[in-house]
Amino acid sequence: MKQKMLKGLILSCLIAATAMQAATWKYAMGEGLNDPQGLYATHFKSYIEENSKNKIQLYAVGALGEETDMMEQVQAGLLQFLGQSAGYMGGTIPEMDVFFVPYLLPTDVKELDTFFKNSKVINKMLPAIVRKHDLELLSIYPEGEFGTTTFKEFHSPADLKGMKMRVMPGSPLLVETWAAFGASPVPMTWGETIGALKTNMIDGEENPVIWIAAYGLDKLSNVLTYTGHGHFIGTAIANKKFFDNLSTKNKKLVKDAATSAQKYILKKAQDLDALGLGRIIRSNPDYKIVTLTAAERAPFIKRSESVQESFGKISSSNKAIVDQMKKDLAAAAE
Ligand code: 6CS
């Protein structure tokens, strides 16, 4: 009898110990489950659940409010993980705006891929900076080259004069970029953008083509222009206190899940970019798609120099980031 009781006691302790180890973590994002951030999060969730007893609860955009609300929620520890568009982060973490220095990132996909895999800025410097904001940076990845959708064609800064160009609301650099390009930038959350296009409150916006196709932005414009000035950047971040308090085993699990999801999304985002463009061309054959020529890009590139300079002037940390970024990009170009 005693032996039976002992066995029962040991078994219940084991079950309790295992249950204590297993947790359910909340993961919100600024996109839907079929968009790049959702695909990254789903891959991350599968990795965690296949390699531990922990569970991930996913919240697609809108479930817990606008993308602008989520950063505070993850900093406060209400969420453990967040998929956040970098365009919503620069106001809180100025160094994160480096990705929006116009004409800094390459348009060549292979170079971009090599940069995101090996960059010291991405893998060392930004994680250290982000930790100062109660966050643990897990991944940064491109979601596709920016395509600019407008009602009227533009080929020069003069063509942009008076054009109200919507930009993501958390990036002072995006405002500066489109002002330097000659337009009138309008910071606005995604939730207001469709309505603003329908009521002509804005004349244009920029997004990767996978997003333009998914949310019908080609139907709310007459032309898509590739200026070559940059890429839409997605991130995965965790609450720092939550991450620091994880067991060594769970810390490694989270890092390995992020590495696996990053590898997956770097390739997947390239396929989605091609898919998005194909979908637009097929479903909207009369839609105009313009790629600015090198001669047409030249005045925009010239104007972007002042934006790059002002980014570096914000702080010595910003200067160090943009200087290292150029070294990392040169290494990726070799
Ligand atoms: O334009 C925006 O604000 C939205 N675009 C993308 C590609 N992801 C989420 C973001 O809120």
Side-chain angles (χ1 to χ4, degrees), residues 30-31 37 67 85 88 143 166 168 190 207-208 211 232:
E31 296 181 353
Q37 288 172 23
E67 181 149 14
S85 311
Y88 287 70
E143 295 190 25
R166 179 264 174 176
M168 284 180 274
W190 168 249
N207 255 299
W211 190 265
F232 187 97

Side-chain angles (χ1 to χ4, degrees), residues 156-205:
S156 68
D159 292 343
L160 284 172
K161 191 164 172 37
M163 243 196 230
K164 295 187 290 299
M165 190 64 71
R166 179 264 174 176
V167 295
M168 284 180 274
S171 163
L173 224 73
L174 287 174
V175 174
E176 231 184 289
T177 295
W178 283 99
F181 284 177
S184 306
V186 180
M188 181 183 285
T189 65
W190 168 249
E192 301 161 286
T193 300
I194 297 276
L197 285 167
K198 285 180 176 168
T199 56
N200 290 342
M201 259 173 67
I202 51 176
D203 304 304
E205 60 81 50

Side-chain angles (χ1 to χ4, degrees), residues 64 66-79 82 84 88-89 92 133-135 237 239:
L64 300 176
E66 278 268 16
E67 181 149 14
T68 39
D69 315 317
M70 296 177 193
M71 172 81 97
E72 294 88 59
Q73 289 172 17
V74 76
Q75 283 175 309
L78 302 173
L79 293 170
L82 176 61
Q84 174 96 74
Y88 287 70
M89 300 174 80
T92 315
H133 297 268
D134 306 323
L135 297 167
I237 50 183
N239 172 276

